[in-house]
Amino acid sequence: MKRLKIVMVIAALFMVSTMQAQLRFGVKGGVNISKVKFNKKVFKSDNITGFHVGPTIEAMMGQGGIGLDAAALYSQRGFDAEGGAVKNSYLDIPVNLKFKLGLPLVNPYLAAGPYMSLRVTGNKKWSVSDKVEQIKAKSFGAGLNFAAGAEIFNMLQVGVIYSLGLTNDFKTFKANDPDSYKGKAHTWLVTATVFF
């Protein structure tokens, strides 16, 4: 009975603090610099540039303190290889825990959290070189985001995000070898968000 009362008090406090949260909507966009790291060296993989854009929402407990942000981003990722660029488009859904210092005019923030990624366009299979017969892109991915930046005049947020893939986004098949080599995406995002 005592535990139930404690849980009810915590839930009530959470509901009250959530109702007092500042809820804002905006649009996020920017540049992606991505690369895929494979578990074995089968060919040289280089960075490729893409972009991301989409709606975002933020719920903060005041100017300074803790809160959440989430987005639905159309995002391009892939890698450059000797046989040509491999690029796909994804719907990325990040949910981050955000901390702001609460300073006036320029308000620094840190954020981190998981993301889910669904491939929406781009080829599923490629032939890259004579060493690798085929690369296959997966339809689902997930990972972690780590972000830092600043909010300017309580309207514009600019920042940098490092996106670490935790699932295998690509699979390669080496010529005359049935073993597959798996690759995870690593992406840097330079981003700006305008809130309404």
Side-chain angles (χ1 to χ4, degrees), residues 15 28 48 55-56 75 88 95 110 114 117 119 136 144 146 166 178:
M15 288 174 64
K28 181 179 284 197
I48 195 167
T56 187
S75 185
N88 279 330
V95 178
L110 296 172
S117 187
R119 186 174 56 83
K136 182 179 177 185
L144 292 173
F146 303 94
L166 297 179

Side-chain angles (χ1 to χ4, degrees), residues 34-99:
S34 65
K35 185 176 183 177
V36 175
K37 294 185 180 175
F38 289 92
N39 60 342
K40 292 189 181 177
K41 184 85 172 166
V42 287
F43 61 89
K44 190 173 186 254
S45 167
D46 290 319
N47 293 333
I48 195 167
T49 305
F51 69 91
H52 62 276
V53 65
T56 187
I57 186 170
E58 180 188 79
M60 297 297 297
M61 307 298 172
Q63 273 300 96
I66 201 160
L68 291 173
D69 75 5
L73 303 174
Y74 177 84
S75 185
Q76 293 180 322
R77 285 196 305 278
F79 59 94
D80 201 3
E82 46 201 76
V86 173
K87 188 187 280 189
N88 279 330
S89 298
Y90 298 86
L91 174 63
D92 287 343
I93 303 170
V95 178
N96 296 314
L97 187 64
K98 185 181 272 186
F99 175 74

